[in-house]
Amino acid sequence: MSDTEGRLVGIVLVSHSAAVAASVAELATGLAGGGTTAPVAPAGGTADGGLGTSAELITAAAASVDRGAGVAVLTDLGSAVLTVKTLLAEGDELPDNTRLVDAPFVEGTVAAVVTASAGADLAAVEAAAAEAYTYRKV
């Protein structure tokens, strides 16, 4: 593994559903193409498998994708956002240089993973994900 591969931005997907988070992760990594893919970890549902959000699952996912280039966290709905904001405010639960990214969950995740896999920095990954708000379907 080259130094560049070792320092890709990590992506964490926080959803109220473990199945949704895992499926979006699978979709995004599949669409990122061949070669090196940025580390992606789903953090969906609660620790007991129910619907909701879990600070423990989020912190574990963030630690698992942290390669020193930053961690982009994308969320689905209200309490997922609030849980990540709380963890960021606490300051010691998430890796340094972790950002909550304001982006659509599916399209933003695909853009973030593709951009991170190309070796872009955290600011570029965040911008690519946020730009997904402008994607038109008709």
Side-chain angles (χ1 to χ4, degrees), residues 14 16 53 75-86 100:
V14 181
H16 285 69
T53 55
T75 61
D76 63 359
L77 304 168
S79 68
V81 175
L82 295 175
T83 302
V84 173
K85 283 184 175 182
T86 299
L100 173 59

Side-chain angles (χ1 to χ4, degrees), residues 13 20-33 106-107 109-110 113-114:
L13 305 178
V20 169
S23 294
V24 173
E26 179 183 8
L27 174 67
T29 56
L31 293 176
V106 175
E107 295 91 335
T109 296
V110 171
V113 172
V114 168

Side-chain angles (χ1 to χ4, degrees), residues 3-136:
D3 184 51
T4 302
E5 291 173 353
R7 293 193 45 85
L8 294 174
V9 171
I11 312 290
V12 173
L13 305 178
V14 181
S15 172
H16 285 69
S17 163
V20 169
S23 294
V24 173
E26 179 183 8
L27 174 67
T29 56
L31 293 176
T36 302
T37 303
V40 179
T46 60
D48 64 1
L51 295 175
T53 55
S54 164
E56 293 79 19
L57 292 176
I58 296 166
T59 57
S64 77
V65 300
D66 181 22
R67 304 291 185 274
V71 176
V73 181
L74 289 93
T75 61
D76 63 359
L77 304 168
S79 68
V81 175
L82 295 175
T83 302
V84 173
K85 283 184 175 182
T86 299
L87 290 169
L88 287 168
E90 290 172 0
D92 61 350
E93 296 293 321
L94 297 172
D96 290 338
N97 210 14
T98 296
R99 290 189 195 165
L100 173 59
V101 176
D102 184 13
F105 194 61
V106 175
E107 295 91 335
T109 296
V110 171
V113 172
V114 168
T115 304
S117 297
D121 66 11
L122 183 57
V125 170
E126 181 176 24
E131 185 180 340
Y133 274 126
T134 67
Y135 296 174
R136 303 287 306 178

